[in-house]
Amino acid sequence: MTDSKWPKLDDATMLQRLAHPKGRVRMVLDTDTFNEVDDQFALAYSLLSPEKLELLAVTAAPFYNWNSVSPADGMEKSYNEIMNIFGLMELDPEHTPPVYRGSTQYMSSPGEPVPSEAADKIIELALTSPEPVYVVAIGAITNVASAIAKCPEIIRNLVVVWLGPNSYTWPTQKIFNVSQDYHASSLIFDCGVPLVILPCHGVASHLLTTPYEIDACLRGRNRLGTYFSDMIRGRFARFGQNRPGWSKVLWDVSAIAWLISENWVPSSVRRAPILNPGFTYSFDDSRHFYKEAIDIDRSEVYIDLFAKLQHASLSPEEAKHDQKAEHS
């Protein structure tokens, strides 16, 4: 059962919140941007989809792997990479969302939030927004869980969209965005916040691309496109990858694609699983609802993403005019 310390949404309200949003979405993007190469694509995709997404803020998430020396270092590198993407896109300051630093460590227990300006901003937006705020988390969920632990009331006005676990049928949930911070991950499943999961293996894993496709679609189109081409080729050269036949999943793009069109990323409602310390699921049909994507149309997602990235240095009005001309 959901812990009594959390505000409880009745089933009707929960199902309403889990329905695919109509109209424009007010969102926060929580991203470990320097961790890999997919966050950068997801960030740019969010900024280039103003017809559906109103990006209120971007928050830097912690990560710790071969690209960082600590969670704090990963968060700071992510913050700087967000700024780098903004610069490459040559954004008009009026259309540039504010950026906030996130957690410098992981949660030590489910009830102890990690203080950060990112968590505070999520709380502020949730408490003041006239409509639900969609927090799209594409890294460790520490910032979001800390905001909820610090101010549980925000559950009433949040929807969390998380590229985190694998499909519920997968034998393990020991995957990077979940296993970095077990306490934060388990809190997200237990607290009763409206939650939409984009599974890594089973759904997002279909978003394979290759250096050759990225070069053909993006290289030379603008500064951002060439940066993405260089990044895809450079980041993985040290591992002997990036050779003919090799492909890369742009995992995080799936979360943005779900917000843009559920026709591309169909999903279904289930009862929220319990995340065990060994990163397996247990199931209890008395628990609250959550939503999980079950498939993704790779072609539709990449057609939309590449078209928008090709116009990344244009104003929204110029890009819209240019895309109409291409399709006429």
Side-chain angles (χ1 to χ4, degrees):
M1 297 293 288
T2 301
D3 194 304
S4 60
K5 72 180 178 181
W6 308 116
K8 181 175 173 54
L9 303 182
D10 60 53
D11 284 351
T13 302
M14 179 66 82
L15 291 172
Q16 182 183 42
R17 291 291 168 81
L18 293 175
H20 194 265
K22 307 296 183 185
R24 202 159 178 241
V25 174
R26 293 170 59 81
M27 68 168 278
V28 174
L29 183 65
D30 186 63
T31 163
D32 56 348
T33 327
F34 196 78
N35 163 42
E36 225 208 87
V37 299
D38 48 341
D39 292 79
Q40 292 91 330
F41 282 86
L43 173 59
Y45 199 13
S46 301
L47 289 161
L48 293 167
S49 303
E51 75 286 351
K52 183 65 178 180
L53 307 177
E54 180 184 359
L55 190 52
L56 304 175
V58 182
T59 53
F63 74 90
Y64 179 35
N65 63 7
W66 51 273
N67 258 335
S68 68
V69 299
S70 68
D73 178 59
M75 184 278 295
E76 190 65 27
K77 285 177 174 174
S78 294
Y79 179 91
N80 292 333
E81 181 69 350
I82 294 165
M83 295 302 190
N84 179 45
I85 296 298
F86 284 2
L88 290 166
M89 294 181 71
E90 302 174 13
L91 296 176
D92 182 333
E94 292 185 4
H95 297 97
T96 304
V99 184
Y100 300 91
R101 287 179 169 86
S103 307
T104 57
Q105 61 189 52
Y106 302 127
M107 295 179 73
S108 59
S109 74
E112 294 186 34
V114 181
S116 71
E117 59 183 22
D120 289 344
K121 188 62 181 180
I122 291 169
I123 292 170
E124 176 193 329
L125 289 170
L127 291 178
T128 60
S129 174
E131 301 169 1
V133 174
Y134 286 72
V135 180
V136 181
I138 52 177
I141 200 80
T142 310
N143 293 335
V144 186
S146 292
I148 292 171
K150 183 175 181 179
C151 183
E153 188 61 27
I154 65 174
I155 287 172
R156 301 187 187 279
N157 207 36
L158 278 188
V159 179
V160 176
V161 180
W162 187 24
L163 184 284
N166 293 320
S167 168
Y168 74 93
T169 60
W170 212 257
T172 179
Q173 302 303 324
K174 192 171 179 60
I175 191 164
F176 192 64
N177 287 356
V178 177
S179 61
Q180 287 184 91
D181 192 338
Y182 169 73
H183 294 303
S185 298
S186 61
L187 182 151
I188 289 297
F189 281 110
D190 291 346
C191 70
V193 68
L195 175 65
V196 179
I197 294 292
L198 280 300
C200 287
H201 291 294
V203 175
S205 50
H206 293 298
L207 289 178
L208 286 162
T209 187
T210 68
Y212 304 96
E213 182 177 39
I214 296 296
D215 282 350
C217 294
L218 300 180
R219 181 172 291 279
R221 297 282 185 152
N222 47 49
R223 292 171 63 203
L224 184 68
T226 299
Y227 177 76
F228 282 168
S229 295
D230 290 342
M231 182 176 64
I232 289 282
R233 289 188 174 277
R235 282 284 185 95
F236 300 96
R238 74 181 76 176
F239 301 117
Q241 296 170 324
N242 190 19
R243 58 190 183 271
W246 177 76
S247 57
K248 178 72 188 79
V249 180
L250 300 184
W251 311 92
D252 297 330
V253 167
S254 63
I256 309 305
W258 182 83
L259 281 172
I260 293 173
S261 175
E262 196 175 22
N263 291 331
W264 302 344
V265 195
S267 49
S268 63
V269 173
R270 301 178 54 83
R271 295 290 181 176
I274 300 164
L275 181 65
N276 300 315
F279 297 102
T280 59
Y281 280 157
S282 296
F283 299 96
D284 179 349
D285 286 343
S286 69
R287 280 166 64 87
H288 54 277
F289 291 116
Y290 84 116
K291 198 169 200 178
E292 183 169 306
I294 57 175
D295 197 9
I296 193 163
D297 189 327
R298 179 215 182 269
S299 296
E300 291 293 341
V301 172
Y302 275 144
I303 287 168
D304 188 55
L305 173 65
F306 290 148
K308 289 173 176 174
L309 289 175
Q310 287 167 3
H311 304 93
S313 60
L314 301 177
S315 70
E317 293 75 18
E318 290 172 325
K320 188 180 297 183
H321 179 271
D322 207 358
Q323 288 171 353
K324 284 182 179 178
E326 285 185 0
H327 294 295
S328 63

